[in-house]
Amino acid sequence: MGSSNASGDISADMEIDAFRRLFPVQFYERHFVKSLRPDARTLNSARDTSVALGAVSSANGSALVKIGCTTMLAAIKMEIMTPSTESPDEGNLAIEFHMPPICSPLVRPGRPADAAPVISKQLADTILSAGMINLKELCLVSGKAAWMAYLDICCLDADGALFDAALLSAVAAFSSLRIPVVSLNDEGRVFISEEMEEGKSKREPVNKEQRKLTLSNIPFSLTCVLHKNYILADPNAEEESIIETSVTVVLNSSGQLVSLYKPGGPVLAYTAAIQDCVALTKQRVQELQIILNEAISDMEVD
């Protein structure tokens, strides 16, 4: 009897798996009518999220972020540059998003992922338009020296909502950033103090100790996929693959709209769906602020 039941369960599982592969939309709709998803989440629920700061010891700031299985490693390296003549008292940011073949079976070796440059530009536009960083804080000597912050984000596991995880990892990395101490040498050139050769004379440090950046209007995002009358928050890769229409809402820490992205799918006929996505994002922002603050507290304790 036990063997018969076991073979029956296996047969049922095989039938469900086959139905899921052959008719994915219908499979999901059977869950939607119960306000559930195959991974047991409700339609409006995001996946479990974790943030760990200081994940890369050789970087000036870094973070490891997981949203469900989607995993991002972000690291910042600070270098001294000559500021532009148009902005002599400002530093600059350079953001690169990388998708190596290990992150997804859809990314092939030797062929860069199409999504990588798109997300890189999205991240740069979002961080700058939100006003999270005052570039004047990156100035060392007006017209002569300023900081260039190189932010590299590597996607280790691409299981949906890549922009949301990448943006959170960027914010977390900047939250952990410690700007190095720099000094002037006898010729008036700026050097990172750690790189100065011992025994050579130097002037007073430009900044006396490592310091943090002042972050304001921090942006957070939530991607939703829309199918008929259903809105799914924080989709995984399978959900994104079967539902064309997606909306990514970016709000700052005060709940103000920073940007809204709608990369694909049909034109939405009603604004009610967008309003619902914004409302879900406001709830998500509160969750992410708590998670980020806890990560910052843990780092300061350590």
Side-chain angles (χ1 to χ4, degrees):
M1 291 293 291
S3 175
S4 176
N5 289 339
S7 62
D9 291 342
I10 293 172
S11 176
D13 289 342
M14 289 178 65
E15 289 179 5
I16 292 172
D17 188 53
F19 180 73
R20 183 173 189 162
R21 292 198 310 269
L22 293 172
F23 307 101
V25 175
Q26 292 89 332
F27 173 80
Y28 268 84
E29 286 178 342
R30 287 189 176 185
H31 290 79
F32 293 167
V33 295
K34 301 176 184 178
S35 297
L36 288 173
R37 294 148 84 165
D39 62 5
R41 282 187 291 160
T42 62
L43 302 186
N44 296 340
S45 297
R47 293 168 290 176
D48 290 341
T49 302
S50 65
V51 175
L53 304 186
V56 181
S57 60
S58 60
N60 299 116
S62 62
L64 180 67
V65 166
K66 289 177 66 71
I67 299 180
C69 289
T70 299
T71 307
M72 300 287 170
L73 179 64
I76 302 171
K77 197 69 175 177
M78 304 295 287
E79 291 191 5
I80 297 170
M81 68 165 194
T82 302
S84 66
T85 54
E86 294 82 9
S87 305
D89 58 348
E90 292 184 358
N92 210 341
L93 309 177
I95 300 175
E96 289 289 338
F97 179 75
H98 309 276
M99 293 185 69
I102 61 167
C103 77
S104 169
L106 300 178
V107 180
R108 305 301 296 272
R111 302 173 65 180
D114 294 337
V118 176
I119 294 178
S120 293
K121 187 176 187 308
Q122 259 184 289
L123 289 168
D125 291 345
T126 299
I127 289 173
L128 291 174
S129 62
M132 182 178 83
I133 297 172
N134 181 0
L135 296 179
K136 292 183 184 298
E137 278 196 44
L138 299 177
C139 180
L140 291 167
V141 180
S142 182
K144 293 184 178 181
W147 286 113
M148 168 69 84
Y150 290 96
L151 169 62
D152 286 283
I153 301 173
C154 183
C155 179
L156 302 180
D157 193 339
D159 189 30
L162 300 188
F163 177 78
D164 298 345
L167 179 60
L168 180 58
S169 72
V171 169
F174 276 112
S175 298
S176 73
L177 177 64
R178 296 296 183 270
I179 299 178
V181 176
V182 295
S183 301
L184 292 173
N185 67 2
D186 290 337
E187 289 77 35
R189 293 181 59 192
V190 177
F191 288 89
I192 298 176
S193 295
E194 297 171 352
E195 298 174 352
M196 293 283 290
E197 295 181 22
E198 291 186 10
K200 288 196 172 183
S201 60
K202 57 185 179 181
R203 302 182 186 177
E204 283 293 310
V206 176
N207 51 321
K208 301 279 187 184
E209 58 185 13
Q210 289 190 354
R211 61 184 177 87
K212 299 171 63 176
L213 275 180
T214 303
L215 303 182
S216 57
N217 301 317
I218 297 175
F220 298 98
S221 66
L222 177 67
T223 297
C224 300
V225 291
L226 286 68
H227 178 70
K228 296 182 178 179
N229 296 323
Y230 304 109
I231 298 176
L232 280 66
D234 180 30
N236 59 33
E238 183 180 32
E239 291 167 339
E240 288 182 335
S241 69
I242 67 170
I243 300 176
E244 289 184 338
T245 306
S246 67
V247 175
T248 299
V249 179
V250 183
L251 303 178
N252 65 20
S253 46
S254 300
Q256 298 172 320
L257 182 66
V258 175
S259 58
L260 188 147
Y261 300 99
K262 185 187 172 300
V267 176
L268 297 176
Y270 305 100
T271 59
I274 298 294
Q275 292 173 346
D276 289 342
C277 291
V278 172
L280 289 173
T281 306
K282 288 183 178 179
Q283 297 176 14
R284 181 62 170 161
V285 167
Q286 295 175 352
E287 296 172 3
L288 294 177
Q289 283 181 303
I290 293 172
I291 293 169
L292 181 60
N293 289 336
E294 288 177 349
I296 293 172
S297 297
D298 290 343
M299 184 181 184
E300 291 174 347
V301 169
D302 294 340

